[in-house]
Amino acid sequence: MIRRASPAGQPGAAHGLRLATARRIGVCSDMPRYDAKRIESKWQAFWEAHGTFATPDFPVGEKLYVLDMFPYPSGEGLHVGHPEGYTATDIVCRYNRMRGKTVLHPMGWDAFGLPAEQHAIKTGTHPRETTDRNIATFRRQLKMLGFSYDWSREVATTDPEYFRWTQWIFLKIYDTWFDPDCAWTDAAGKTRCGKGRPISELPIPDAVRAAGPDAVRRYQDERRLAYQYEAPVNWCPALGTVLANEEVIGGVSERGGHPVVRIPLRQWMLRITAYAERLLDDLDSVAWPESIKALQRNWVGKSEGAEVDFPIGGASGDFAAWKATRLQAGFPAEPLDDVLRIYTTRPDTLFGATYMVLAPEHPCVDRLTTPQYRTAVDDYRRQAAMKSDLDRTDLAKEKTGVFTGAFAVNPVNGEQIPIWIADYVLVSYGTGAIMAVPAHDLRDWEFAVRFELPIRPVVAAHDDYQPTKEERALAREVNGRTEFPFAGLGAAINSGEYTGLTTADFKEAITRRLAAEGLGRGAVNYRLRDWLFSRQHFWGEPFPLWHELDASGNPTGLLRTVPEADLPVTLPEMRHFKPHGRPEPPLAEAPPEWLYTTAPDGVPLVRETNTMPQWAGSCWYYLRFIDPRNDAAFIAPDKERAWMPVDLYIGGAEHAVLHLLYSRFWHKVLFDRGCVSGDEPFRRLVNQGMILGEAELTGYQDESGQWVSARQVVDGPDENQPKLNAGTRRPVVAVRLDTRQTTKLGNEFVLEANPEIVVESRAFKMSKSRGNVVNPDQVVANYGADALRLYEMFMGPLEAAKPWSMSGVEGVSRFLARVWRMIADERSDDVRLSDAVSAVPPSADQLRLLHKTIQAVTADIESLSFNTAISRMMEFVNALTAQEPRPRAVLEPFVLLLSPLAPHLAEELWQLLEHTQSLAYEPWPEFDPACVVEHEVEVPVQINGKLRGKIKTPPGADEPTARGLAQADPRIAELLAGKQVVKIVFVSDRLLNFVVR
RNA sequence: GCCGAAGUGGCGGAAUGGCAGACGCAGCGGAUUCAAAAUCCGCCGCCCGUAAAGGGCAUGAGGGUUCGACUCCCUCCUUCGGCACCA
C-alpha cells in the first residue's frame, strides 16, 4: 500500500504523486475516505453486541418515554416517510440519554391487517407467514438506519402473548358500564362526573330482578361498554364476502368492481359515546397541536339543545289531558308510544314548527303510517335502505320525502302538524326525529318549499341583517316579495308570551318551562357514534366470548366470557382462506373443535366468530412496551406508574382522529377500572409532515400534439377520466417536462419556447402508480444511513409536507464527508487522525464558534427544529475546516453535538479521537455564556426605518455611544445633514434608527 | 359550505416586531487534473447603473397598526388536509 504522497513541488515528486493518485482510484473502497457502509455496519453491530440501548425495568432518575407510531408491516417494505418521524424521535432519545435521562424507546408491529388476508385468499399462504416475512423486512430496514430502540421490547399485535392481553382488556371493557352520575376527583383536584364501573355494581330495578337471572343478565348486557347491535355491512355477493369500507369504492368492490349492497349483520359496538364529554374535556390537559385538538373536537361534535315530546294524533281534549298527565308524572326517561320525541338545538323556534320529519328507519314509522299512505311510505323506505351513505349524503340532490298520513301536536301551542319521513333526517343522530322549522333552518326551508308546507317566521333578525350566501341561494318569491330563511340569532316574534326575548334568553326560559311541565328536557348530543368494533375477517383478534345455545342449537342471546386463565383465544387452523359465500365471518367455517364446546353446567356454547378491528391492538401497545414479557398481567402497576405517560409521541397526521381517540377511550376505561394510573396516555404529540415525491413539471398536449395551457385544463367528469381542455372538451395528455424547457413568468411556470403555455409545477404524494416512490434501501446503499437520516431532518420543519430531492441527499452526504475530513486523515491508508487535529488550546474565536453552536444546536433539538440545528453544524464545519491546526477541544464537543443526528459517523470519529467507550452516554456539551461574548457588535443604522449603514459598537453599548459612532460615519453624517432628528430608536446590539424630518 | 394548516429567490428552506433570503440544492466562473470524478475558491432575488459606487423594488393580493412588519390586525385570493343534510 502507498504511504502518504509526497507534497507537490518537491523535486521528483510529481511522478510519484500521479502514480499514487492513479492507484488510489483503483482501490478506492479500502481507502479511508468517508465510508458510510463500513462505519454503519460496524457501529450497528457494536450497539447490538453491547446492548447499548437496553432500557432498565425502572428509570434511574428522570424518565423519558418517547414513542413512534408503530408501523403496519406492509409487503412494500419501509417507505421514506417512515424514517422521518423515527429519526426525529431517535435524535430526541439520544440527546436525552446524554442529558442523563433514562429513555424508553421501543418499536413493534401493528401486524393484523387486511392485505395479509387478501394475499391469503389469492395464494393460500397463511397470513401469519406473510406477516412474519414482512416484519423481518421492516426490522432489517429499521436496524439498517441505526435507531436506538430497545429491541428486546419488540412486540407484534399478532403475537398470541400480545393479543392475549388485547382480549383481556376487551373483557375489562365488556365488564364495565358507564355511570353518568358517578362523581370523582381527577389528578388536578377537579370534581368530575361520569365513570366506568364494574357491571356487578350496576343497580338492577326490582322488576328486572323479579323476572329472574336471565332477565338480569340481559339488562346488564344492554348497558355494558361492549354490546351487540345489528349494523349494516358491505356485502358483496359476487365475492361472497363482507368488505371493509376501504374496499368499497364508489359503490362497487375495489377488487373486481362487483356491486356491493348494504345488509344488516350482528356486530359488536363499543360505547365510546359515553366517554364523549371526557374525551372532549381532557384535550385541555395534553400538549398536542391545536389543529389536532380541533380535529378531535370536531369529530366528537358536541351540541346542546333540548328533547321535546310531541303527542301523536290527538284532538284538543286529548291534548289537554295529556298535558295534565305530564305535569303530574314528569318527562319519561324513554318516550312512550303516544309521543314522538325530537331533538333540537333551537327550542326557541318551537312556535315555528310546521311539520315533523322522521328518519326512514325510525321505529315509529310503521305504526304511524295510515293505510292510505302505506305504499308510498314503504317504497320510500325501501329506496332509502338501498342507497349507500354516499348517495344519501349527496348535498347536490333535491330533498325527498313522503307524508305518513299521521299528525302530531306541538306541545307549546296545541297545533296539529303533519308527520313526514325524509332521508335528510338521520336515524343515528339525536332521536332520529325532528321538528321542522322551515323559516329558520335551511334544510327544512328547502323541504318545505319543495312540498309546499307552511313557513312561519318566529325569529326576527336585526334591522341591517344581510342574508348569508346560503340563505340567499334559497330565496323564493311570494306575491312579488323575496323571502329568505334566517338561521341566525335574533329576537322572538309570533311566540306567545315569549315574543321579544333574545334567542339565548328564550332557549333558557323555554327549556326550564318544558322541563317543569314534563314536556321536554335539556339534552346534549354528539356527532360521534359508537365504535363498530367487529370485522368479518380471519386475520384479527378473536373475541373471548361464547354464545349460549338452546336445545335445538339456536343462540339464546346470552353470553359467557372465556375465563382469564384460558386466554388467549387463538385463531383456529383453517384449511383454506377462500370466502365461504355467506355474510357470516370466515371463522364461522372454523373446525368444530374450535367452534363448539359445552360449559361445565352442560349448556352448549358456540364461539363468537367476528374478529376485532386493526385498531384494537394499537389501542394499548404503548402500555405493553413498558412490560412486554409479563405473563401475569398486561402490565405491572409499578412499572406503569414509573413510565407513563408517553412524553413524546410522533406519527402521521392520518391518525389524528381515530387511533388517538380510540386509544384515549381505552385508556380512560382502564383508568376508571383502576388498571392504569393516569387518564391520558400521550402527554405531547407531534405529527410529522408527509414526504412527497420529487417536484414535477407537467405540460398538457391535445391529440394533435398541440400544447394546452394548464389554465385551460380541467378534470374529467369523474376521477378516473382523463383531463380535458376546458374550451374544446377534448381530452389532453400530461407530459413530464425538464426544468430547462420551462421558465418562470410571474407566479407561474411557462414553456420556454411558448410563454403562453402555462405548465403545472407540483410535488405529488409518492405512489406506485405515479412511479415516484423513493426506496430507503437504495438511498442507504448509495449514501448511507447517516445521510438519509440527516437529509430527512434537513428537508425542512418536521411538521411540514416536503418534496424529496435526491440532490439534497447528496448535499448532506457531502457535509458528512467534510466532517470526516475535518477530523480523519483522508490521504492515509489506514483510519487515522488528520495531522491538522491538535491538542493546542482553542482561540477565543474558535471557542465562541463552538459555544454558539452548542447553544443553537441544543435549543434547536429541544424545539425539534432539526433543520436549523444541521445548518448550524454546517456553518461550524465550514469555518473550522478552513483552519489549521484544529484543536481537539472544539472538535470533541462538536462530535457529541452531531451524534444524535449522525450517530454512526460520530461514534467512529469519537473512537478515532482516542475514546474507548461509546459516546451514547457521554454528557451533552454545556454551553458557556462567557465564551460567546463578542468584543465588537455590528449594528445596523437606519434612517426612517431604511438601512443606511452599519457601525461597530462594543457589546451592550448605550445610546449616546452608538449615536456618536453613527454620526461619525461619513455617509450617515451626510444623510443626516440638514435634517431634523425627531426621534431616535435604539436597541442595544440590535439597531439604531434615526427618525428625521 | 364549515374547521384547520400553509403561501418568502430557479428549488428545499432561514429569520415570529429590528440588516429578508442563514444553511443546502441547482446554476455560472475559476483553481487542481493529460482528462474526468472528487475537492477547493468565488459569484448567484429582480430592476436601473458598462462596471464600481449607489439607488429602487421585493416575503400570495389589498388595506391598517408601528420609528420599523415575512412576523401583529382586517379583507380577499390560491393550494393542501379534515368534516360535510348531525336538527
Side-chain angles (χ1 to χ4, degrees), chain A residues 56-70:
Chain A
D57 283 350
F58 290 92
V60 181
E62 205 178 332
K63 70 99 181 175
L64 190 79
Y65 186 178
V66 180
L67 184 66
D68 294 305
M69 287 185 188
F70 67 164

Side-chain angles (χ1 to χ4, degrees), chain A residues 123-140:
Chain A
T123 65
T125 316
H126 196 287
R128 166 155 308 285
E129 210 177 294
T130 314
T131 302
D132 286 348
R133 198 169 47 235
N134 292 348
I135 287 177
T137 304
F138 265 70
R139 188 190 298 114
R140 174 187 63 74

Side-chain angles (χ1 to χ4, degrees), chain A residues 46-95:
Chain A
F46 178 93
W47 297 325
E48 184 140 357
H50 291 78
T52 308
F53 304 114
T55 310
D57 283 350
F58 290 92
V60 181
E62 205 178 332
K63 70 99 181 175
L64 190 79
Y65 186 178
V66 180
L67 184 66
D68 294 305
M69 287 185 188
F70 67 164
Y72 172 71
S74 72
E76 265 92 69
L78 213 63
H79 177 272
V80 286
H82 288 114
E84 190 190 13
Y86 300 163
T87 304
T89 51
D90 194 58
I91 293 166
V92 171
C93 289
R94 289 176 179 269
Y95 163 75

